[in-house]
Amino acid sequence: MMYTTQMDAAKKGIITKEMEIVAKKENMDVNILRELISKGKVAIPANKNHKSLNPEGVGENLRTKINVNLGISKDCCDIDEEMKKVNLALDMKAEAIMDLSSFGKTKEFRKKLISSSNAMIGTVPIYDAVGFYDKELKDITAKEFLDVVRNHANDGVDFVTVHAGINKETASVFKRNKRLTNIVSRGGSLMYAWMELNQRENPFYEYFDELLDICEEYDLTLSLGDALRPGSINDSSDACQIKELMILGELTLRAWKRNVQVIIEGPGHMSLDEIESNMLLEKKLCHGAPFYVLGPIVTDIAPGYDHITSAIGGALAASYGADFLCYVTPAEHLRLPNLDDVKEGIIATKIAAHAADIAKKIPKSRDIDNQMSKARQELDWEKMFELAIDPQKARRYRKESTPKHDDSCTMCGKMCSMRNMNKIMSGKDLNLLRADN
């Protein structure tokens, strides 16, 4: 039986090779996975032209996935340097990479990225439009915006962020409700500016059916962007954000009717006490579609440490139902991240995702923690390094301050609780002052 997309196959009762791979990774019955895909609660972004892809599922009852943003810009357009970040992200097993390139040889970088990456690849086509056509934003036509999406889809991109929810109706709500930080989404601000400059409806909203044609042809997953996500904790959960979420929910149903997979993008900046209600509201208004969040960043005063503020919010968000975390690096709000920033961002986000999986009781999520605890109890340093999320750093810290006795560290020495409990529990003498072991 023929099918057009993963969702189409799922509705027809067909189990695809991508479903089989994801089910095995998730320790899940493939028929349960297929049912979740048929209902839109899980997406497997897998463009037909991305031949090197090792597919992942995003959504209900699955492990929390992480995304790494990178790409060339006008100020930093070194493709080789960005590919180093790509290789680092792949080595650290990030499930997704988003190419946010906005200047220069974007197509060259995108094709190189797709051909070398087994992670799913996302893009934001509106970033590429100005450079692609060498036109000012105002002069780009609705058809040209759609053609950029098609170009990315043809290259093999697995999901695209499209800010279709900021239509005239949503924009009017924004104009009536003053914000501290206005519109902070780069793509959202560009789309709003185009609408204002041309006094036209958002082309991605007006021609949403044509957009779905492209998605259906390539099995391109739509990541419905949150143009009005809060860019400060002052603006979170306001009328602008909620109105757009309602529009995204309507667009989700239209996409599902065409068997197009959907991921919903969410905040943003948000105080801790609002995160749970926002996750519940998104799932309700968007009919259980997978939810992809940037952070949330839980305080606005930590430039240089936003990988931490983001990880705090991300862990909480994912524990309450977010399915996909976009990493944030220490360079957020300051500059393009370098290689070290990328590593710090990935590690912080992986910690958040794993902590949430434990809270969500994802099958086998605790296994590695129990293995680490056993290695600590046995004072098996090599095993601890092997299990660590960053083995290099753990090994370096141990090496930088070497204890006199291997069965301890320089914090506690012979007062190490693990060492002493092992001795006492096995009936041995305890020697804190004597020179012998």
Side-chain angles (χ1 to χ4, degrees):
M1 189 183 298
M2 299 293 291
Y3 63 89
T4 55
T5 67
Q6 294 292 324
M7 177 176 260
D8 183 39
K11 288 179 180 178
K12 291 174 176 175
I14 299 170
I15 294 173
T16 67
K17 68 179 186 298
E18 290 83 6
M19 293 179 201
E20 290 176 344
I21 292 169
V22 170
K24 186 175 181 180
K25 288 181 178 180
E26 300 288 345
N27 302 296
M28 176 182 280
D29 184 293
V30 72
N31 285 297
I32 294 175
L33 177 66
R34 181 194 58 74
E35 184 68 17
L36 289 168
I37 294 168
S38 73
K39 294 177 179 177
K41 294 185 177 181
V42 166
I44 300 180
N47 187 313
K48 296 170 184 177
N49 289 346
H50 189 178
K51 306 302 182 184
S52 61
L53 177 68
N54 186 354
E56 295 283 355
V58 179
E60 188 174 301
N61 296 332
L62 307 187
R63 290 177 296 109
T64 306
K65 306 306 187 300
I66 76 162
N67 171 69
V68 171
N69 287 342
L70 41 79
I72 53 177
S73 68
K74 189 168 185 177
D75 292 308
C76 301
C77 53
D78 187 335
I79 290 178
D80 291 338
E81 188 63 27
E82 289 309 294
M83 285 306 300
K84 290 178 185 177
K85 299 175 189 176
V86 170
N87 293 330
L88 175 63
L90 295 175
D91 288 344
M92 296 184 73
K93 296 181 169 52
E95 290 89 3
I97 296 173
M98 284 200 80
D99 173 16
L100 306 187
S101 295
S102 58
F103 177 81
K105 298 179 179 178
T106 57
K107 187 176 183 69
E108 177 186 332
F109 176 65
R110 184 168 60 252
K111 295 191 78 169
K112 194 171 184 178
L113 170 62
I114 293 165
S115 65
S116 65
S117 175
N118 59 8
M120 53 186 163
I121 301 300
T123 59
V124 188
I126 194 172
Y127 293 177
D128 195 28
V130 173
F132 185 80
Y133 293 113
D134 194 23
K135 286 183 176 182
E136 286 296 337
L137 179 68
K138 178 179 184 294
D139 300 324
I140 299 172
T141 67
K143 181 182 182 301
E144 286 173 334
F145 278 125
L146 291 170
D147 285 346
V148 173
V149 176
R150 179 175 291 280
N151 186 272
H152 284 214
N154 187 60
D155 286 343
V157 168
D158 301 297
F159 64 101
V160 288
T161 294
V162 175
H163 299 88
I166 183 163
N167 58 8
K168 286 184 175 181
E169 185 180 353
T170 321
S172 68
V173 174
F174 165 69
K175 290 174 183 177
R176 294 196 305 269
N177 292 269
K178 186 173 176 57
R179 283 181 143 192
L180 188 62
T181 48
N182 295 315
I183 299 176
V184 301
S185 160
R186 190 194 329 177
S189 65
L190 290 172
M191 197 74 264
Y192 178 79
W194 185 93
M195 293 166 63
E196 289 294 295
L197 290 168
N198 289 283
Q199 290 300 296
R200 289 275 308 276
E201 180 59 278
N202 178 344
F204 291 126
Y205 181 81
E206 184 175 1
Y207 300 104
F208 192 69
D209 288 330
E210 287 82 351
L211 178 62
L212 295 178
D213 289 339
I214 300 169
C215 294
E216 193 174 17
E217 180 179 350
Y218 293 94
D219 197 359
L220 177 67
T221 298
L222 267 185
S223 188
L224 291 175
D226 51 339
L228 293 173
R229 70 171 180 263
S232 59
I233 60 172
N234 180 79
D235 295 343
S236 61
S237 308
D238 69 352
C240 308
Q241 178 194 337
I242 304 307
K243 178 61 181 178
E244 183 181 31
L245 196 58
M246 293 167 66
I247 300 296
L248 297 185
E250 294 171 3
L251 294 175
T252 296
L253 295 180
R254 288 175 60 183
W256 286 348
K257 284 182 180 179
R258 295 282 301 276
N259 298 316
V260 171
Q261 299 183 106
V262 172
I263 295 171
I264 304 295
E265 296 188 12
H269 293 234
M270 181 169 290
S271 65
L272 281 170
D273 59 309
E274 296 179 31
I275 292 176
E276 180 181 7
S277 58
N278 268 264
M279 299 306 109
L280 296 172
L281 191 61
E282 183 282 333
K283 289 288 184 177
K284 182 71 174 178
L285 292 178
C286 295
H287 319 289
F291 198 25
Y292 172 35
V293 295
L294 178 70
I297 290 173
V298 296
T299 175
D300 296 328
I301 62 166
Y305 297 91
D306 276 327
H307 59 311
I308 297 173
T309 61
S310 171
I312 292 168
L316 197 58
S319 73
Y320 286 123
D323 308 289
F324 196 12
L325 301 181
C326 186
Y327 92 151
V328 171
T329 77
E332 184 76 7
H333 303 111
L334 300 171
R335 59 166 169 78
L336 192 77
N338 63 24
L339 206 58
D340 289 338
D341 297 328
V342 170
K343 182 177 180 180
E344 290 293 312
I346 291 172
I347 289 171
T349 311
K350 285 175 74 74
I351 293 169
H354 181 65
D357 287 347
I358 293 171
K360 288 192 285 192
K361 298 180 171 52
I362 298 296
K364 299 184 180 297
S365 58
R366 286 177 177 259
D367 287 2
I368 193 169
D369 294 82
N370 292 338
Q371 292 172 44
M372 177 65 88
S373 296
K374 187 172 187 297
R376 284 176 173 155
Q377 183 270 316
E378 294 175 348
L379 295 165
D380 185 343
W381 299 100
E382 285 304 316
K383 188 66 175 177
M384 286 185 246
F385 299 148
E386 177 189 322
L387 295 168
I389 199 166
D390 184 359
Q392 292 178 338
K393 187 172 186 178
R395 193 181 295 276
R396 174 168 60 83
Y397 272 34
R398 172 78 175 165
K399 188 176 180 180
E400 285 175 350
S401 186
T402 306
K404 186 174 182 180
H405 300 283
D406 286 341
D407 61 349
S408 66
C409 75
T410 54
M411 168 70 89
C412 299
K414 282 193 173 184
M415 290 188 182
C416 170
S417 60
M418 294 296 186
R419 170 190 182 273
N420 293 338
M421 287 304 298
N422 288 344
K423 285 179 175 290
I424 293 297
M425 297 294 285
S426 61
K428 294 180 180 178
D429 184 23
L430 194 63
N431 55 332
L432 299 181
L433 300 178
R434 298 194 306 272
D436 58 301
N437 288 333

